[in-house]
Amino acid sequence: MEVVLLADARQVARLAADTIEATVAAKPQAVLGLATGSTPLPTYQELIRRHRAGLGPSYDQVRCFTLDEYVGLPPGHQQSYRATIARELTDPLGIPPDRVHGPDPSPEGLASAGERYEQELTAAGGVDIQVLGIGTDGHLAFNEPGSALTSLTRLKTLTAETRQANARFFGSVAAVPRHVLTQGLGTILRARHLLLLATGAAKADAVAAAVEGPLSASCPASVLQLHRHVSVLVDEEAAAGLARREHYREVYAAKPCWQGL
Ligand code: GLP
């Protein structure tokens, strides 16, 4: 695991955008794993800015897979993750909707939705780079504490903490769906490169537990310790709980420039 400490959210966004662009430049048919939540938004805005300026790679051949989706929202709801990712990233990059995949929350297919999504991911050849945020309780995608470390895409019930945290998108806690479909921790581990972004003081405890705490289902993001290619990009506030932060700084400063993330 490589931990990169950066001054602020803007620098996190720049380095994350560089890394995503490098993946697409090296493999025009790359499969991008996309997270929602507010943390990746500056990264997505940076990618869009560069694309509009004619600076980014071509996204003509990429395919995208979202991590998770709410269950129970009317089709096309603005806070569905399908609508969110289209609005915040894929539409502005010119990636057509048929190249953007997400778990299918329609009620009639719910029992098989997880398995079908796993099949879609496998048929696409797997995710090349997976953008991840982290919940204040250490959740990854919607894998709440207690999620099996080998889990695959499935229906989950949100904790009260996560519904409270996401109430800002819905106007009230009561309006936040109780159920979701989410890639499992085992699904996420299959991606070839994991890019975890965390900014702000509210994430400091979760980042410390994920990076330096024990491997435990009680902190789902600690599963990242099992993956061979993880980049954790944190701003100073989110890094505040890391005991080894001076070491991470030294390692990154001494990194050969050809190595990339
Ligand atoms: C949400 C999403 C996660 C996201 C996390 C943190 O509930 N399902 O994918 O990483 O919570 O969100 P934010 O970045 O807004 O803090």
Side-chain angles (χ1 to χ4, degrees), residues 35-40 67-68 70 81 132-135 139-142 162 166 168-169 203:
T36 43
S38 25
T39 309
L67 277 174
D68 43 13
Y70 291 110
Y81 283 171
L132 295 166
I134 185 170
H139 74 241
L140 271 193
F142 272 137
T162 299
N166 288 4
R168 66 191 193 279
F169 298 114
K203 300 297 172 67

PDB file of all heavy atoms in Angstrom, residues 35-40 67-68 70 81 132-135 139-142 162 166 168-169 203, ligand 1:
ATOM      1  N   ALA A  35     -16.510   5.732  -8.143  1.00  0.00           N
ATOM      2  CA  ALA A  35     -17.181   5.900  -6.856  1.00  0.00           C
ATOM      3  C   ALA A  35     -18.040   7.149  -6.903  1.00  0.00           C
ATOM      4  O   ALA A  35     -17.753   8.086  -7.653  1.00  0.00           O
ATOM      5  CB  ALA A  35     -16.145   6.034  -5.754  1.00  0.00           C
ATOM      6  N   THR A  36     -19.071   7.160  -6.094  1.00  0.00           N
ATOM      7  CA  THR A  36     -19.858   8.383  -5.912  1.00  0.00           C
ATOM      8  C   THR A  36     -19.490   8.983  -4.554  1.00  0.00           C
ATOM      9  O   THR A  36     -18.417   8.724  -4.049  1.00  0.00           O
ATOM     10  CB  THR A  36     -21.361   8.045  -6.033  1.00  0.00           C
ATOM     11  OG1 THR A  36     -21.601   6.847  -5.324  1.00  0.00           O
ATOM     12  CG2 THR A  36     -21.759   7.871  -7.479  1.00  0.00           C
ATOM     13  N   GLY A  37     -20.367   9.793  -3.968  1.00  0.00           N
ATOM     14  CA  GLY A  37     -19.995  10.515  -2.750  1.00  0.00           C
ATOM     15  C   GLY A  37     -19.323  11.820  -3.147  1.00  0.00           C
ATOM     16  O   GLY A  37     -19.029  12.052  -4.332  1.00  0.00           O
ATOM     17  N   SER A  38     -19.058  12.671  -2.185  1.00  0.00           N
ATOM     18  CA  SER A  38     -18.498  13.983  -2.536  1.00  0.00           C
ATOM     19  C   SER A  38     -16.990  13.975  -2.729  1.00  0.00           C
ATOM     20  O   SER A  38     -16.452  14.833  -3.430  1.00  0.00           O
ATOM     21  CB  SER A  38     -18.888  15.043  -1.505  1.00  0.00           C
ATOM     22  OG  SER A  38     -19.161  14.474  -0.278  1.00  0.00           O
ATOM     23  N   THR A  39     -16.295  13.022  -2.119  1.00  0.00           N
ATOM     24  CA  THR A  39     -14.829  13.053  -2.186  1.00  0.00           C
ATOM     25  C   THR A  39     -14.274  13.027  -3.612  1.00  0.00           C
ATOM     26  O   THR A  39     -13.355  13.796  -3.917  1.00  0.00           O
ATOM     27  CB  THR A  39     -14.236  11.904  -1.354  1.00  0.00           C
ATOM     28  OG1 THR A  39     -14.825  11.942  -0.055  1.00  0.00           O
ATOM     29  CG2 THR A  39     -12.734  12.015  -1.246  1.00  0.00           C
ATOM     30  N   PRO A  40     -14.772  12.165  -4.511  1.00  0.00           N
ATOM     31  CA  PRO A  40     -14.162  12.128  -5.853  1.00  0.00           C
ATOM     32  C   PRO A  40     -14.567  13.289  -6.753  1.00  0.00           C
ATOM     33  O   PRO A  40     -13.999  13.430  -7.841  1.00  0.00           O
ATOM     34  CB  PRO A  40     -14.664  10.809  -6.464  1.00  0.00           C
ATOM     35  CG  PRO A  40     -15.487  10.134  -5.444  1.00  0.00           C
ATOM     36  CD  PRO A  40     -15.791  11.115  -4.367  1.00  0.00           C
ATOM     37  N   LEU A  67     -19.734   1.548  -8.297  1.00  0.00           N
ATOM     38  CA  LEU A  67     -19.549   0.638  -7.162  1.00  0.00           C
ATOM     39  C   LEU A  67     -20.856   0.133  -6.579  1.00  0.00           C
ATOM     40  O   LEU A  67     -20.931  -0.996  -6.095  1.00  0.00           O
ATOM     41  CB  LEU A  67     -18.840   1.386  -6.023  1.00  0.00           C
ATOM     42  CG  LEU A  67     -17.341   1.498  -6.055  1.00  0.00           C
ATOM     43  CD1 LEU A  67     -16.888   2.396  -4.911  1.00  0.00           C
ATOM     44  CD2 LEU A  67     -16.687   0.133  -5.936  1.00  0.00           C
ATOM     45  N   ASP A  68     -21.862   1.010  -6.595  1.00  0.00           N
ATOM     46  CA  ASP A  68     -23.050   0.685  -5.805  1.00  0.00           C
ATOM     47  C   ASP A  68     -24.249   1.475  -6.298  1.00  0.00           C
ATOM     48  O   ASP A  68     -24.113   2.338  -7.174  1.00  0.00           O
ATOM     49  CB  ASP A  68     -22.785   0.925  -4.311  1.00  0.00           C
ATOM     50  CG  ASP A  68     -22.038   2.238  -4.030  1.00  0.00           C
ATOM     51  OD1 ASP A  68     -21.942   3.078  -4.946  1.00  0.00           O
ATOM     52  OD2 ASP A  68     -21.560   2.418  -2.914  1.00  0.00           O
ATOM     53  N   TYR A  70     -28.475   2.810  -4.912  1.00  0.00           N
ATOM     54  CA  TYR A  70     -29.607   2.755  -3.987  1.00  0.00           C
ATOM     55  C   TYR A  70     -30.700   1.868  -4.561  1.00  0.00           C
ATOM     56  O   TYR A  70     -30.889   1.804  -5.779  1.00  0.00           O
ATOM     57  CB  TYR A  70     -30.187   4.150  -3.772  1.00  0.00           C
ATOM     58  CG  TYR A  70     -29.291   5.086  -2.990  1.00  0.00           C
ATOM     59  CD1 TYR A  70     -28.674   6.164  -3.611  1.00  0.00           C
ATOM     60  CD2 TYR A  70     -29.080   4.891  -1.630  1.00  0.00           C
ATOM     61  CE1 TYR A  70     -27.867   7.034  -2.894  1.00  0.00           C
ATOM     62  CE2 TYR A  70     -28.269   5.757  -0.905  1.00  0.00           C
ATOM     63  CZ  TYR A  70     -27.662   6.816  -1.541  1.00  0.00           C
ATOM     64  OH  TYR A  70     -26.855   7.677  -0.832  1.00  0.00           O
ATOM     65  N   TYR A  81     -27.230   6.610  -8.126  1.00  0.00           N
ATOM     66  CA  TYR A  81     -25.814   6.703  -8.492  1.00  0.00           C
ATOM     67  C   TYR A  81     -25.626   6.658 -10.000  1.00  0.00           C
ATOM     68  O   TYR A  81     -24.656   7.204 -10.528  1.00  0.00           O
ATOM     69  CB  TYR A  81     -25.013   5.619  -7.763  1.00  0.00           C
ATOM     70  CG  TYR A  81     -24.756   5.975  -6.303  1.00  0.00           C
ATOM     71  CD1 TYR A  81     -24.217   5.055  -5.416  1.00  0.00           C
ATOM     72  CD2 TYR A  81     -25.039   7.251  -5.815  1.00  0.00           C
ATOM     73  CE1 TYR A  81     -23.972   5.384  -4.084  1.00  0.00           C
ATOM     74  CE2 TYR A  81     -24.802   7.594  -4.492  1.00  0.00           C
ATOM     75  CZ  TYR A  81     -24.265   6.662  -3.630  1.00  0.00           C
ATOM     76  OH  TYR A  81     -24.020   7.005  -2.322  1.00  0.00           O
ATOM     77  N   LEU A 132     -12.050   4.951  -5.113  1.00  0.00           N
ATOM     78  CA  LEU A 132     -12.776   4.630  -3.880  1.00  0.00           C
ATOM     79  C   LEU A 132     -12.787   5.837  -2.950  1.00  0.00           C
ATOM     80  O   LEU A 132     -11.792   6.571  -2.859  1.00  0.00           O
ATOM     81  CB  LEU A 132     -12.080   3.482  -3.128  1.00  0.00           C
ATOM     82  CG  LEU A 132     -12.049   2.116  -3.797  1.00  0.00           C
ATOM     83  CD1 LEU A 132     -11.048   1.216  -3.084  1.00  0.00           C
ATOM     84  CD2 LEU A 132     -13.439   1.480  -3.790  1.00  0.00           C
ATOM     85  N   GLY A 133     -13.887   6.006  -2.241  1.00  0.00           N
ATOM     86  CA  GLY A 133     -13.910   6.907  -1.098  1.00  0.00           C
ATOM     87  C   GLY A 133     -13.976   6.022   0.139  1.00  0.00           C
ATOM     88  O   GLY A 133     -13.913   4.792   0.055  1.00  0.00           O
ATOM     89  N   ILE A 134     -14.113   6.648   1.292  1.00  0.00           N
ATOM     90  CA  ILE A 134     -14.235   5.878   2.531  1.00  0.00           C
ATOM     91  C   ILE A 134     -15.290   6.540   3.413  1.00  0.00           C
ATOM     92  O   ILE A 134     -15.347   7.778   3.492  1.00  0.00           O
ATOM     93  CB  ILE A 134     -12.862   5.753   3.242  1.00  0.00           C
ATOM     94  CG1 ILE A 134     -12.949   4.848   4.479  1.00  0.00           C
ATOM     95  CG2 ILE A 134     -12.290   7.124   3.604  1.00  0.00           C
ATOM     96  CD1 ILE A 134     -11.572   4.496   5.066  1.00  0.00           C
ATOM     97  N   GLY A 135     -16.129   5.742   4.045  1.00  0.00           N
ATOM     98  CA  GLY A 135     -17.120   6.288   4.966  1.00  0.00           C
ATOM     99  C   GLY A 135     -16.482   6.593   6.312  1.00  0.00           C
ATOM    100  O   GLY A 135     -15.415   6.066   6.643  1.00  0.00           O
ATOM    101  N   HIS A 139     -16.537   2.334   5.907  1.00  0.00           N
ATOM    102  CA  HIS A 139     -17.142   1.539   4.824  1.00  0.00           C
ATOM    103  C   HIS A 139     -16.511   1.861   3.470  1.00  0.00           C
ATOM    104  O   HIS A 139     -16.025   2.965   3.226  1.00  0.00           O
ATOM    105  CB  HIS A 139     -18.666   1.645   4.811  1.00  0.00           C
ATOM    106  CG  HIS A 139     -19.271   2.908   4.318  1.00  0.00           C
ATOM    107  ND1 HIS A 139     -20.073   3.703   5.093  1.00  0.00           N
ATOM    108  CD2 HIS A 139     -19.225   3.516   3.106  1.00  0.00           C
ATOM    109  CE1 HIS A 139     -20.502   4.737   4.386  1.00  0.00           C
ATOM    110  NE2 HIS A 139     -19.994   4.652   3.175  1.00  0.00           N
ATOM    111  N   LEU A 140     -16.515   0.856   2.629  1.00  0.00           N
ATOM    112  CA  LEU A 140     -16.048   0.970   1.232  1.00  0.00           C
ATOM    113  C   LEU A 140     -17.237   0.656   0.362  1.00  0.00           C
ATOM    114  O   LEU A 140     -17.907  -0.357   0.603  1.00  0.00           O
ATOM    115  CB  LEU A 140     -14.995  -0.096   0.920  1.00  0.00           C
ATOM    116  CG  LEU A 140     -13.524   0.169   1.170  1.00  0.00           C
ATOM    117  CD1 LEU A 140     -12.704  -0.907   0.471  1.00  0.00           C
ATOM    118  CD2 LEU A 140     -13.076   1.556   0.736  1.00  0.00           C
ATOM    119  N   ALA A 141     -17.488   1.480  -0.667  1.00  0.00           N
ATOM    120  CA  ALA A 141     -18.741   1.380  -1.425  1.00  0.00           C
ATOM    121  C   ALA A 141     -19.854   1.406  -0.378  1.00  0.00           C
ATOM    122  O   ALA A 141     -19.863   2.289   0.472  1.00  0.00           O
ATOM    123  CB  ALA A 141     -18.761   0.154  -2.305  1.00  0.00           C
ATOM    124  N   PHE A 142     -20.744   0.413  -0.344  1.00  0.00           N
ATOM    125  CA  PHE A 142     -21.730   0.366   0.746  1.00  0.00           C
ATOM    126  C   PHE A 142     -21.507  -0.882   1.587  1.00  0.00           C
ATOM    127  O   PHE A 142     -22.453  -1.450   2.131  1.00  0.00           O
ATOM    128  CB  PHE A 142     -23.153   0.432   0.184  1.00  0.00           C
ATOM    129  CG  PHE A 142     -23.685   1.834  -0.001  1.00  0.00           C
ATOM    130  CD1 PHE A 142     -24.389   2.172  -1.151  1.00  0.00           C
ATOM    131  CD2 PHE A 142     -23.518   2.812   0.981  1.00  0.00           C
ATOM    132  CE1 PHE A 142     -24.907   3.454  -1.321  1.00  0.00           C
ATOM    133  CE2 PHE A 142     -24.034   4.096   0.813  1.00  0.00           C
ATOM    134  CZ  PHE A 142     -24.730   4.414  -0.335  1.00  0.00           C
ATOM    135  N   THR A 162     -24.566   5.891   8.134  1.00  0.00           N
ATOM    136  CA  THR A 162     -24.433   6.191   6.702  1.00  0.00           C
ATOM    137  C   THR A 162     -25.670   6.923   6.180  1.00  0.00           C
ATOM    138  O   THR A 162     -25.558   7.857   5.383  1.00  0.00           O
ATOM    139  CB  THR A 162     -24.187   4.888   5.918  1.00  0.00           C
ATOM    140  OG1 THR A 162     -22.973   4.322   6.397  1.00  0.00           O
ATOM    141  CG2 THR A 162     -24.082   5.145   4.426  1.00  0.00           C
ATOM    142  N   ASN A 166     -25.600  10.601   4.473  1.00  0.00           N
ATOM    143  CA  ASN A 166     -26.063  10.838   3.110  1.00  0.00           C
ATOM    144  C   ASN A 166     -27.368  11.634   3.044  1.00  0.00           C
ATOM    145  O   ASN A 166     -27.860  11.928   1.955  1.00  0.00           O
ATOM    146  CB  ASN A 166     -26.203   9.497   2.363  1.00  0.00           C
ATOM    147  CG  ASN A 166     -24.826   8.913   2.041  1.00  0.00           C
ATOM    148  OD1 ASN A 166     -23.808   9.480   2.436  1.00  0.00           O
ATOM    149  ND2 ASN A 166     -24.787   7.812   1.332  1.00  0.00           N
ATOM    150  N   ARG A 168     -27.766  14.631   3.490  1.00  0.00           N
ATOM    151  CA  ARG A 168     -27.560  15.930   2.834  1.00  0.00           C
ATOM    152  C   ARG A 168     -27.919  15.900   1.348  1.00  0.00           C
ATOM    153  O   ARG A 168     -28.218  16.921   0.755  1.00  0.00           O
ATOM    154  CB  ARG A 168     -26.115  16.396   3.015  1.00  0.00           C
ATOM    155  CG  ARG A 168     -25.062  15.551   2.328  1.00  0.00           C
ATOM    156  CD  ARG A 168     -23.669  15.967   2.833  1.00  0.00           C
ATOM    157  NE  ARG A 168     -22.565  15.443   2.041  1.00  0.00           N
ATOM    158  CZ  ARG A 168     -22.083  14.222   2.150  1.00  0.00           C
ATOM    159  NH1 ARG A 168     -22.622  13.353   3.006  1.00  0.00           N
ATOM    160  NH2 ARG A 168     -21.062  13.836   1.400  1.00  0.00           N
ATOM    161  N   PHE A 169     -27.890  14.710   0.749  1.00  0.00           N
ATOM    162  CA  PHE A 169     -28.247  14.607  -0.673  1.00  0.00           C
ATOM    163  C   PHE A 169     -29.759  14.469  -0.871  1.00  0.00           C
ATOM    164  O   PHE A 169     -30.255  14.582  -1.980  1.00  0.00           O
ATOM    165  CB  PHE A 169     -27.572  13.392  -1.312  1.00  0.00           C
ATOM    166  CG  PHE A 169     -26.055  13.477  -1.286  1.00  0.00           C
ATOM    167  CD1 PHE A 169     -25.307  12.590  -0.523  1.00  0.00           C
ATOM    168  CD2 PHE A 169     -25.389  14.449  -2.021  1.00  0.00           C
ATOM    169  CE1 PHE A 169     -23.916  12.662  -0.503  1.00  0.00           C
ATOM    170  CE2 PHE A 169     -24.007  14.530  -1.995  1.00  0.00           C
ATOM    171  CZ  PHE A 169     -23.268  13.634  -1.239  1.00  0.00           C
ATOM    172  N   LYS A 203     -12.569  12.196   8.087  1.00  0.00           N
ATOM    173  CA  LYS A 203     -12.125  10.876   7.612  1.00  0.00           C
ATOM    174  C   LYS A 203     -10.864  10.377   8.322  1.00  0.00           C
ATOM    175  O   LYS A 203     -10.408   9.259   8.051  1.00  0.00           O
ATOM    176  CB  LYS A 203     -11.873  10.918   6.091  1.00  0.00           C
ATOM    177  CG  LYS A 203     -13.094  11.291   5.260  1.00  0.00           C
ATOM    178  CD  LYS A 203     -14.197  10.251   5.404  1.00  0.00           C
ATOM    179  CE  LYS A 203     -15.502  10.668   4.745  1.00  0.00           C
ATOM    180  NZ  LYS A 203     -15.450  10.749   3.310  1.00  0.00           N
TER     181      LYS A 203
HETATM  182  C1  GLP B   1     -21.087   6.757   0.299  1.00  0.00           C
HETATM  183  C2  GLP B   1     -20.682   5.870  -0.884  1.00  0.00           C
HETATM  184  C3  GLP B   1     -19.230   5.505  -0.842  1.00  0.00           C
HETATM  185  C4  GLP B   1     -18.460   6.744  -0.436  1.00  0.00           C
HETATM  186  C5  GLP B   1     -18.753   7.092   0.983  1.00  0.00           C
HETATM  187  C6  GLP B   1     -18.129   8.412   1.435  1.00  0.00           C
HETATM  188  O1  GLP B   1     -22.121   6.301   1.072  1.00  0.00           O
HETATM  189  N1  GLP B   1     -21.464   4.693  -1.094  1.00  0.00           N
HETATM  190  O2  GLP B   1     -18.811   4.994  -2.088  1.00  0.00           O
HETATM  191  O3  GLP B   1     -17.083   6.503  -0.552  1.00  0.00           O
HETATM  192  O4  GLP B   1     -20.120   7.039   1.267  1.00  0.00           O
HETATM  193  O5  GLP B   1     -18.783   9.502   0.865  1.00  0.00           O
HETATM  194  P1  GLP B   1     -18.177  10.963   0.824  1.00  0.00           P
HETATM  195  O6  GLP B   1     -17.075  10.926  -0.162  1.00  0.00           O
HETATM  196  O7  GLP B   1     -19.316  11.832   0.386  1.00  0.00           O
HETATM  197  O8  GLP B   1     -17.713  11.263   2.194  1.00  0.00           O
END
